[in-house]
Amino acid sequence: MVYFEYQGKNVYYETHGAGKPLILLNGIMMSTKSWGIFKEAFSANNRLILLDFLDQGQSDKVEEEYTQDLQVEVLHALIKELNYERVNLLGISYGGEVALRFITKYESLVERLVLFNTSHRTSPWLKDIGDAWNLSRDNALDYYLTTIPVIYSPEFYNRNREWMENRKKLLTATVFSNKEFMDSMVRLTRSAETHDVTEGLKDIRTRTLIVSSENDFITPKEEQEALHKLLVNSDYVMLPKTGHGSMYEKPALFTALTLGYINASDLEMTVL
């Protein structure tokens, strides 16, 4: 178990493999453990770096309210800790929002950026979804039914009934019944309420892959389309019949798109 200290807090991270550095940034309910099925492929030719933000996984809890700017500085501290001049970032949802905020402040540290199911702002739609999550925090089943079904596409949710039922039993019996975890979820959710980098992205030139999902009910594909228009050096892909949890619904595509984009020697190839 490896930690570094940031402002008196212990931050957990892992490194695997060797090569071009690739840091994976968690979605809001995720942790370093969430990437288990991807570690072998992502570390085969890259230096894979996994990070638990503060209030996530094995990193320390914060207790007081904060914004995503705190997580930006945690990420910056990790890059300094590992002594990298430039890294590649993959962010999904909350992690993608942190990545966007990061490049508005530390663009020179990022070579390429991959964003799945990410918005450049917390829209009124997303704000109200977050409020509904927080209002259901005191009942594990209520929280599950408020948060989890909308993370997946209806096709995936209905087709994988046994897996979903097992997830329900596990989550409601463990983390969703754990006050410390739920308190951290409320803080993480509230930290995203002020997220809006619309103006800050207009001068960004980092080469970026934006991936959206046809059936994303949390950050609808229109949000990624708008993000694509803001980022002048971005490429856009839409996954059909897929929900917000794209990494679990389409793990092979998730892997191929990320590694292909990060490791391509030339993203400007043309056919003559």
Side-chain angles (χ1 to χ4, degrees):
M1 298 176 67
V2 183
Y3 293 87
F4 71 94
E5 186 176 301
Y6 176 74
Q7 294 189 348
K9 300 290 187 182
N10 291 317
V11 179
Y12 178 80
Y13 71 98
E14 299 178 9
T15 60
H16 305 270
K20 184 184 292 187
L22 172 59
I23 302 178
L24 308 190
L25 303 179
N26 302 332
I28 196 166
M29 292 186 189
M30 294 170 61
S31 72
T32 54
K33 295 179 180 179
S34 303
W35 301 103
I37 64 171
F38 300 98
K39 285 198 293 189
E40 182 177 356
F42 275 57
S43 63
N45 297 295
N46 291 89
R47 182 66 163 175
L48 174 64
I49 303 154
L50 307 179
L51 168 68
D52 281 336
F53 291 127
L54 290 171
D55 263 337
Q56 283 187 334
Q58 298 177 75
S59 290
D60 281 353
K61 305 303 180 186
V62 180
E63 297 177 2
E64 67 272 9
E65 298 288 321
Y66 54 88
T67 70
Q68 287 174 325
D69 290 330
L70 174 65
Q71 313 290 19
V72 166
E73 297 308 322
V74 167
L75 174 57
H76 183 240
L78 172 65
I79 295 171
K80 289 173 60 179
E81 173 79 11
L82 297 175
N83 199 31
Y84 283 121
E85 293 184 2
R86 299 188 82 195
V87 299
N88 298 275
L89 299 178
L90 160 64
I92 185 166
S93 191
Y94 185 94
E97 294 172 2
V98 173
L100 285 174
R101 300 183 76 84
F102 186 86
I103 62 170
T104 64
K105 189 171 183 180
Y106 300 113
E107 185 180 15
S108 64
L109 296 178
V110 181
E111 182 179 356
R112 291 178 187 170
L113 175 62
V114 177
L115 301 169
F116 279 79
N117 308 95
T118 296
S119 177
H120 62 286
R121 56 158 191 163
T122 296
S123 65
W125 167 281
L126 188 53
K127 166 67 164 57
D128 286 353
I129 288 173
D131 287 345
W133 289 12
N134 289 344
L135 286 170
S136 64
R137 62 180 289 187
D138 294 325
N139 183 287
L141 182 57
D142 285 352
Y143 193 77
Y144 178 92
L145 294 174
T146 303
T147 60
I148 301 302
V150 293
I151 288 177
Y152 300 101
S153 65
E155 180 179 357
F156 180 88
Y157 195 87
N158 292 330
R159 188 178 68 245
N160 295 279
R161 291 308 306 147
E162 183 177 357
W163 188 79
M164 293 308 310
E165 286 300 317
N166 288 335
R167 293 285 290 170
K168 182 191 293 185
K169 291 176 183 176
L170 174 66
L171 292 172
T172 55
T174 56
V175 290
F176 290 175
S177 296
N178 182 300
K179 185 180 184 304
E180 184 180 53
F181 176 86
M182 293 309 302
D183 287 346
S184 68
M185 277 304 308
V186 170
R187 289 190 297 270
L188 285 161
T189 303
R190 287 178 178 163
S191 75
E193 289 181 351
T194 58
H195 171 62
D196 190 339
V197 289
T198 306
E199 292 301 317
L201 294 181
K202 292 180 178 178
D203 295 323
I204 296 298
R205 297 296 181 267
T206 302
R207 195 61 190 264
T208 303
L209 174 63
I210 300 166
V211 185
S212 69
S213 301
E214 182 181 23
N215 300 132
D216 188 340
F217 305 122
I218 296 178
T219 53
K221 61 183 184 296
E222 289 78 11
E223 293 292 324
Q224 285 88 62
E225 291 167 355
L227 178 58
H228 177 42
K229 291 178 181 178
L230 284 171
L231 289 171
V232 296
N233 284 335
S234 65
D235 300 286
Y236 175 73
V237 173
M238 195 272 288
L239 303 179
K241 297 182 179 180
T242 307
H244 188 71
S246 56
M247 60 181 286
Y248 292 128
E249 293 194 39
K250 297 288 195 306
L253 272 177
F254 182 86
T255 301
L257 286 168
T258 300
L259 295 180
Y261 200 83
I262 293 299
N263 292 323
S265 59
D266 185 0
L267 290 173
E268 305 299 335
M269 294 171 62
T270 58
V271 177
L272 301 178

